[in-house]
């Protein structure tokens, strides 16, 4: 097919170990995506890294924490998991929105009027609650008040640490087993214990005699765990499936919200425009009504803001696939990058959506500017095609996309409604886009949180 080799990223040490060391150094300095941008700058947008080990090892890398679930499965078992999860988004639209509203009100009650606050932990708490609602039909808070008070933050910390290890394991490729410390094993154990507990409750409820079931239990609502219980009683299988969805739903949306509020505080022109839109559609201030779903849909600029946030900070910035059979990539081979590239069965293709979303040849000279208007007439979206990929595409496209955009949109609208003049806290140094500290696990989070001065008046 006329394939030609891609440009090489020149490793100086055997097995590409110098790349690994550099990656580890940048990960520690919270600048790893900056490093990837430099690699793309020097080696081209498509290039080959001779690391002598595959990237297609996700199941093995993830196994100790995540086991086997929608993120780690392929083929038949993946298809099955996807079919089990899909009705959650299709049939519970009303309950899902009501739950998001409830959880956002609880978040707002923890934001001090006109004070400075790091919103990031609150966002993680919010998305944890909404995702556990999807999974178990009830939020963590309702579990907490009954039985497992105090465990959330322990779980949250353990789950974050566990994911940190998963990303180290990913970078180590075939040497993933080196990242297996007692600390990692403890993080897995705590994460598992927490989810096991929630599953046990669901098992007990499912096995309770009909007359003992509460009205809540009997409501005809599609709950993922109950659908799973129809299929299996294997506790590890149940745990793995739930943890996989928790990962998909919690961190991605929390990071999107953190970047959104960080960017809004740093771009008063954009905030001003958004504030005016929200004021026009539903009103501002403490006494203004909560936006309805229809009103949210009317907020066109809010939609553009989120699109632009997910361009600059796609929650899943780096991803990979391994070829199931020998195939080709259409471009990237030869000195001019215009020939196809051969990918043999088992070889891996890594792709950095973060770098792609910042390409000047796709987005123009102002690619690094936060400018929601670029999406205004829909032309750019049509032009860039797969050049814009925050939710992936194809058969494994994000299942929670609509849910996530609803949650992120509603939360942003409520925060701006309540604190229309939010800003960067006094004394915080200005940081340019790309140069801020970032923590890359499977998602990319701001390295220094999301500290914002919440102002209700100018
Ligand atoms: C802004 C928020 C979100 C972003 C940017 C996002 C992005 C993504 C991306 C890029 C993938 C593909 C991963 C891969 O195949 O390697 C994915 C998959 C997935 N997402 Fe999301 N996601 C978000 C929120 C959510 C939410 C709230 C849920 C709901 C629980 C969710 C559920 C899933 C599931 C189940 C998959 C796996 C699909 C499959 O493999 O078939 N996502 N997401």
């Amino acid at each position: 097919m006329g394939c030609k080799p891609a440009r090489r990223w020149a490793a100086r040490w055997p097995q590409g170990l110098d790349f690994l060391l550099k990656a580890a150094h940048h990960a520690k300095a919270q600048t790893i995506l900056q490093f990837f941008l430099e690699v793309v700058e020097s080696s081209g947008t498509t290039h080959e890294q001779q690391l002598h080990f595959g990237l297609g090892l996700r199941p093995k890398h993830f196994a100790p924490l995540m086991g086997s679930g929608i993120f780690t499965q392929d083929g038949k078992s993946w298809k099955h998991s996807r079919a089990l999860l899909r009705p959650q988004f299709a049939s519970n639209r009303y309950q899902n929105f009501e739950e998001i509203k409830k959880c956002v009100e609880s978040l707002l009650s923890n934001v001090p009027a006109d004070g400075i606050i790091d919103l990031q932990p609150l966002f993680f708490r919010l998305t944890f609650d909404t995702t556990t609602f999807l999974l178990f039909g009830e939020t963590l808070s309702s579990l907490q008040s009954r039985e497992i008070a105090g465990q959330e933050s322990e779980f949250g910390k353990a789950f974050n640490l566990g994911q940190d290890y998963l990303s180290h394991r990913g970078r180590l490729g075939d040497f993933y087993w080196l990242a297996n410390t007692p600390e990692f094993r403890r993080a897995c154990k705590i994460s598992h214990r927490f989810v096991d507990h929630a599953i046990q409750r669901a098992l007990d409820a499912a096995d309770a005699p009909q007359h003992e079931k509460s009205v809540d239990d009997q409501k005809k609502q599609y709950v993922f765990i109950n659908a799973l219980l129809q299929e299996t009683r294997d506790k590890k299988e149940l745990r793995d499936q739930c943890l996989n969805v928790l990962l998909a739903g919690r961190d991605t949306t929390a990071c999107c919200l953190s970047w959104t509020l960080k960017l809004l505080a740093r771009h008063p022109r954009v905030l001003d425009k958004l504030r005016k839109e929200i004021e026009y559609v539903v009103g501002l201030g403490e006494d203004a009504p909560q936006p309805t779903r229809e009103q949210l849909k009317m907020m066109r600029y809010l939609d553009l803001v989120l699109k632009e946030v997910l361009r600059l900070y796609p929650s899943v910035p780096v991803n990979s696939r391994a070829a199931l059979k020998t195939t080709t990539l259409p471009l990237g081979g030869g000195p001019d990058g215009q020939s196809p590239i051969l990918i043999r069965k088992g070889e891996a293709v890594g792709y950095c959506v973060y770098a792609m979303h910042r390409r000047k040849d796709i987005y123009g000279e102002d690619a690094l500017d936060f400018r929601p208007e670029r999406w205004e007439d829909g032309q750019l979206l049509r032009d860039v095609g797969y050049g814009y990929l925050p939710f992936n595409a194809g058969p494994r496209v994000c299942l929670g996309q609509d849910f996530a955009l609803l949650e992120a949109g509603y939360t942003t609208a409520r925060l701006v409604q309540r604190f229309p003049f939010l800003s960067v806290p006094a004394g915080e140094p200005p940081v340019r886009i790309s140069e801020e500290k970032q923590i890359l696990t499977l998602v990319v989070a701001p390295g220094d949180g999301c500290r914002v001065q919440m102002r209700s008046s100018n």
Side-chain angles (χ1 to χ4, degrees):
M1 296 184 73
C3 291
K4 291 188 181 153
R7 279 171 67 177
R8 287 263 175 103
W9 183 83
R12 284 192 215 109
W13 298 0
Q15 308 266 336
L17 279 175
D18 51 336
F19 179 87
L20 266 187
L21 281 183
K22 270 196 172 171
H25 167 77
H26 280 279
K28 204 163 169 201
Q30 302 189 339
T31 55
I32 191 152
L33 287 171
Q34 276 184 52
F35 170 56
F36 289 174
L37 289 182
E38 285 163 24
V39 171
V40 170
E41 184 76 22
S42 61
S43 305
T45 50
T46 307
H47 61 266
E48 182 177 345
Q49 294 178 355
Q50 281 280 344
L51 299 177
H52 297 293
F53 42 70
L55 284 168
L57 294 168
R58 192 193 272 181
K60 281 188 184 160
H61 294 155
F62 279 32
L65 181 64
M66 310 296 299
S68 169
I70 191 162
F71 263 126
T72 55
Q73 293 164 332
D74 252 328
K76 241 172 122 179
S77 46
W78 160 72
K79 245 189 194 151
H80 184 64
S81 296
R82 203 168 158 100
L84 274 179
L85 192 53
R86 183 178 281 117
Q88 188 74 64
F89 299 103
S91 68
N92 291 0
R93 297 172 75 88
Y94 174 75
Q95 285 108 319
N96 291 348
F97 186 50
E98 289 307 302
E99 198 57 36
I100 289 172
K101 280 164 62 177
K102 236 196 272 168
C103 294
V104 171
E105 291 319 298
S106 154
L107 178 147
L108 284 175
S109 70
N110 286 310
V111 179
D114 298 308
I116 294 174
I117 186 168
D118 180 0
L119 290 167
Q120 191 153 292
L122 299 188
F123 290 150
F124 268 80
R125 170 64 191 258
L126 167 76
T127 55
F128 182 65
D129 276 349
T130 51
T131 314
T132 50
F133 177 76
L134 289 178
L135 281 172
F136 301 113
E138 56 184 350
T139 62
L140 169 83
S141 326
S142 59
L143 278 185
Q144 239 187 350
S145 57
R146 277 177 245 163
E147 282 164 42
I148 43 179
Q151 278 189 29
E152 186 257 345
S153 62
E154 191 193 20
F155 167 83
K157 272 189 225 149
F159 199 45
N160 291 345
L161 184 68
Q163 283 178 54
D164 227 3
Y165 269 91
L166 295 192
S167 64
H168 288 313
R169 287 162 72 87
R171 286 194 285 274
L172 284 169
D174 271 339
F175 300 116
Y176 64 89
W177 43 269
L178 287 172
N180 187 8
T181 61
E183 182 187 53
F184 177 48
R185 289 196 292 274
R186 198 176 120 75
C188 295
K189 212 165 165 182
I190 293 171
S191 307
H192 294 167
R193 199 171 58 210
F194 181 85
V195 175
D196 288 350
H197 192 108
I199 288 170
Q200 190 55 50
R201 283 174 45 84
L203 271 167
D204 293 346
D207 292 339
Q210 197 63 29
H211 66 274
E212 283 180 21
K213 289 187 182 172
S214 69
V215 180
D216 269 0
D217 291 335
Q218 292 174 42
K219 261 194 218 155
K220 277 277 162 265
Q221 179 184 328
Y222 187 94
V223 176
F224 183 58
I225 186 70
N226 293 340
L228 270 180
L229 287 176
Q230 307 279 322
E231 309 266 326
T232 180
R233 292 288 165 122
D234 181 299
K235 293 201 176 154
K236 171 148 170 39
E237 221 176 307
L238 292 167
R239 172 212 287 164
D240 291 353
Q241 289 279 11
C242 291
L243 267 175
N244 271 255
V245 180
L246 203 48
L247 171 76
R250 184 190 78 139
D251 302 61
T252 45
T253 316
C255 289
C256 171
L257 275 165
S258 287
W259 290 115
T260 304
L261 270 294
K262 241 179 136 74
L263 285 165
L264 285 176
R266 280 160 183 78
H267 294 80
R269 183 195 65 78
V270 176
L271 177 62
D272 189 49
K273 210 164 157 181
L274 183 62
R275 177 172 56 235
K276 286 190 175 127
E277 178 175 81
I278 295 169
E279 180 170 26
Y280 177 75
V281 176
V282 67
L284 299 176
E286 208 170 342
D287 301 327
Q290 299 165 11
T292 63
R293 238 187 143 103
E294 289 65 38
Q295 285 169 326
L296 276 182
K297 276 196 200 121
M298 289 164 66
M299 297 180 189
R300 291 285 306 128
Y301 194 62
L302 175 63
D303 181 50
L304 305 186
V305 167
L306 292 179
K307 251 199 194 69
E308 182 71 343
V309 171
L310 286 169
R311 180 182 71 85
L312 284 167
Y313 300 97
S315 306
V316 184
V318 189
N319 209 333
S320 70
R321 291 290 189 269
L324 293 174
K325 55 183 186 183
T326 296
T327 185
T328 58
L329 292 183
L331 281 177
D336 60 359
Q338 294 305 306
S339 302
I341 304 175
L342 180 69
I343 311 289
R344 292 173 194 83
K345 182 176 171 177
E347 282 179 347
V349 177
Y351 57 103
C352 185
V353 175
Y354 181 87
M356 180 172 77
H357 282 181
R358 286 157 184 250
R359 274 174 60 171
K360 293 192 174 149
D361 58 331
I362 299 181
Y363 287 97
E365 279 307 307
D366 68 351
L368 285 187
D369 293 350
F370 177 59
R371 194 172 66 80
E373 288 76 11
R374 74 176 76 239
W375 301 103
E376 206 147 34
D377 60 4
Q379 189 56 43
L380 179 63
L381 200 58
R382 286 190 289 277
D383 288 348
V384 298
Y386 290 137
Y388 182 69
L389 217 56
F391 293 100
N392 220 344
R396 291 195 89 130
V397 65
C398 174
L399 261 176
Q401 176 169 347
D402 292 348
F403 180 85
L405 289 174
L406 181 67
E407 180 170 22
Y410 182 81
T411 309
T412 305
R414 276 300 277 156
L415 276 167
V416 173
Q417 201 182 23
R418 179 71 190 78
F419 303 100
F421 297 91
L422 57 92
S423 61
V424 181
E428 274 206 10
V431 184
R432 299 229 314 259
I433 284 174
S434 292
E435 291 176 5
E436 67 284 280
K437 296 267 183 249
Q438 302 176 343
I439 297 174
L440 175 65
T441 53
L442 305 167
V443 294
V444 56
D448 48 6
C450 178
R451 273 166 45 84
V452 178
Q453 166 82 53
M454 310 306 292
R455 280 184 214 280
S456 44
S457 56
N458 205 346

